[in-house]
Amino acid sequence: MIENYLFLFFLFLLLHYLSFLFKVYSGLKKLNKESSDKIPDEFVSVLIPFRNEEKNILRTLKSIELQDYPEEKFEVIFIDDNSSDNSIEILEKNISRSNIRVISVPEDYSAKAHKKRAIRYGIENAKGAIIVTTDADCLHPEKWLRKLLSYFDENTGFVSGPVEFINGKSFFNRLQSLEFAGLVITGAGLIGSNSPTICNAANIAYRRKAFEEVGGFSLQMNLSSGDDELLMQKIFQDTDYKIRFVPDKDAIVQTEPNKSLKQFYQQRKRWASKGLFYKNKSLVLKLILIYLFYLSLFVQPILGFVFAPKYFISFFISFLAKIFSEYLIIRKGTELLFPKSILANFFLAEIFHIPYIVLAGLSGALGNYKWKDRTISR
């Protein structure tokens, strides 16, 4: 009897996961590729928090200075979050535009909030009615800011843009590029299906009015992350503003992949740690069920050896359905944003995907992690 109940439970987890993937796929088809190409009338503040980015910050500065956007319509604020290297000196020596400046966060300013404290301090010192955030290790195409902001209208409160890893030659880099593209595509599809869940702070924009209407980061300042998707979810749930995604290759922000498996693991732990703090508890339940589906892909073969061969059948059905459905989604995403070459390692990535989700999800929910040379406690 217990064996039958378990079998049915595994089937339920599969059907729930497939319904989630269907929502993503249908959302991708609904994304509006059209934009007016008209820039907003409002003044824009681009905020770039940084900590110990002396190796990357100069190229980020240069990509920002080359933006095809009227200089009188925006400002750029680099926000130092207690750097101990030469990042500030490099910036100040190389800034060539009058609309770009550097500020530093006071040491005692919301010390546990880390990146969010830098962004909030930046907002307090910004003039813009629209806030754009990106990271200090990113590259921005010339039309990035113009394309991102062209998706704003009077009813839009939050815009999410695409991000990709700079494609390296190593197998590890190629796997990361595909996996990261999958996350971006998933976030895009969920926004398209009017269920905004995930986005990336390296490429987002929102109205200051919407930020203030939901209380900004006031309920999250004890968390080290959440400056992106938690804010997006609050604006979606607590205001009448629309959330939009920008399916345009000219709006893609590039960032470096992790240099080691350890870095990758710490990053995914940090991202996974946010899930339990989502305000929408039904969304938290859905994420738990998705996690249990991935966990079941470990458990089912073990049960097949120990108890009954039918668990092998349920495992192969679940695994093949996962591969087929996710392939359709990734392929759709490459039509919108990414090169088809990222699909070359798809099947190997599917195998890697399962243990990483299980391990990162559990450790992100329970353990500490490292970020920017800091140990972050849960």
Side-chain angles (χ1 to χ4, degrees), residues 6-31:
L6 273 176
F7 189 85
L8 290 174
F9 181 62
F10 294 144
L11 178 61
F12 166 73
L13 292 176
L14 171 61
L15 293 176
H16 175 268
Y17 188 60
L18 291 179
S19 69
F20 167 76
L21 294 180
F22 177 77
K23 177 180 284 190
V24 173
Y25 186 79
S26 61
L28 289 171
K29 295 174 69 175
K30 294 175 184 175
L31 286 177

Side-chain angles (χ1 to χ4, degrees), residues 20-55:
F20 167 76
L21 294 180
F22 177 77
K23 177 180 284 190
V24 173
Y25 186 79
S26 61
L28 289 171
K29 295 174 69 175
K30 294 175 184 175
L31 286 177
N32 185 2
K33 300 180 185 178
E34 302 290 331
S35 70
S36 65
D37 282 333
K38 179 180 180 296
I39 62 175
D41 293 328
E42 297 92 337
F43 191 78
V44 175
S45 294
V46 179
L47 307 184
I48 309 178
F50 68 92
R51 173 178 165 82
N52 295 341
E53 292 286 359
E54 63 180 5
K55 295 180 180 179

Side-chain angles (χ1 to χ4, degrees), residues 149-330:
L149 295 173
S150 71
Y151 277 75
F152 269 98
D153 58 33
E154 61 182 11
N155 298 314
T156 300
F158 190 104
V159 173
S160 171
V163 184
E164 70 175 358
F165 280 149
I166 298 171
N167 221 339
K169 295 182 179 180
S170 73
F171 177 66
F172 180 52
N173 282 357
R174 293 197 301 271
L175 277 183
Q176 286 189 80
S177 295
L178 174 58
E179 188 269 343
F180 189 62
L183 289 174
V184 173
I185 292 167
T186 299
L190 291 172
I191 290 174
S193 65
N194 202 34
S195 302
T197 305
I198 58 175
C199 59
N200 193 295
N203 196 7
I204 60 174
Y206 44 89
R207 293 190 180 278
R208 181 197 288 264
K209 184 178 178 182
F211 177 82
E212 293 171 348
E213 192 172 327
V214 300
F217 303 133
S218 59
L219 299 178
Q220 310 160 17
M221 290 304 285
N222 62 321
L223 303 177
S224 61
S225 58
D227 51 292
D228 42 23
E229 58 200 48
L230 294 180
L231 177 62
M232 177 180 70
Q233 292 171 24
K234 285 173 66 179
I235 292 174
F236 175 71
Q237 293 165 14
D238 298 343
T239 76
D240 294 326
Y241 284 115
K242 294 187 301 184
I243 311 296
R244 300 186 70 185
F245 183 85
V246 183
D248 193 310
K249 294 180 180 180
D250 285 331
I252 295 177
V253 167
Q254 291 187 313
T255 188
E256 290 284 352
N258 295 285
K259 294 180 173 58
S260 67
L261 189 59
K262 182 178 180 181
Q263 280 187 353
F264 175 85
Y265 175 61
Q266 292 294 331
Q267 184 186 61
R268 295 312 190 264
K269 278 178 67 176
R270 178 167 60 90
W271 290 355
S273 71
K274 293 180 282 190
L276 293 177
F277 295 94
Y278 288 169
K279 183 179 177 181
N280 186 340
K281 297 310 176 186
S282 66
L283 176 57
V284 175
L285 177 60
K286 291 176 183 178
L287 293 177
I288 290 173
L289 290 175
I290 291 172
Y291 179 80
L292 290 176
F293 169 74
Y294 275 86
L295 184 62
S296 77
L297 296 176
F298 267 118
V299 172
Q300 289 176 72
I302 296 173
L303 294 178
F305 280 113
V306 176
F307 292 111
K310 66 181 178 181
Y311 291 118
F312 287 121
I313 298 174
S314 63
F315 167 75
F316 282 114
I317 291 173
S318 298
F319 187 57
L320 292 175
K322 173 186 182 298
I323 289 177
F324 177 73
S325 302
E326 291 180 353
Y327 180 79
L328 292 179
I329 289 172
I330 296 293

Side-chain angles (χ1 to χ4, degrees), residues 348-372:
L348 285 175
E350 283 292 298
I351 297 172
F352 167 72
H353 199 207
I354 298 170
Y356 126 66
I357 289 289
V358 172
L359 184 59
L362 182 62
S363 57
L366 300 178
N368 303 332
Y369 56 87
K370 288 189 175 182
W371 178 67
K372 298 290 183 183

